[in-house]
Amino acid sequence: MPKLKTRRAVAKRFKTTANGKLKRSHACAGHLLTKKSAKRKRNLRKADIVNANDVPRMKRMLGV
């Protein structure tokens, strides 16, 4: 069976951690920031881990 190509759009948005988990950034952090509270914006800065239910599909897309 041939190798799977990496989906480039996914590769730009998700990174693999050293333990094999997937890091993602938050949505809603790009614009319209004046109406959002400082606490909300601060929490949007931090990366998050992809939900365990989505990891197999995301890893297949990444070719990992």
Side-chain angles (χ1 to χ4, degrees), residues 38-50:
K39 179 181 179 180
R40 185 171 165 195
K41 288 187 281 191
R42 189 166 56 248
N43 287 330
L44 287 172
R45 279 201 297 263
K46 300 171 186 169
D48 203 2
I49 301 295
V50 173

Side-chain angles (χ1 to χ4, degrees), residues 5-36:
K5 285 189 174 181
T6 301
R7 295 197 184 200
R8 299 312 298 163
V10 175
K12 292 169 190 174
R13 289 167 174 83
F14 297 90
K15 300 290 178 236
T16 311
T17 63
N19 293 329
K21 295 179 181 177
L22 294 175
K23 274 197 325 192
R24 67 172 180 84
S25 58
H26 286 275
C28 306
H31 62 121
L32 300 176
L33 297 171
T34 51
K35 64 170 83 171
K36 293 171 186 155

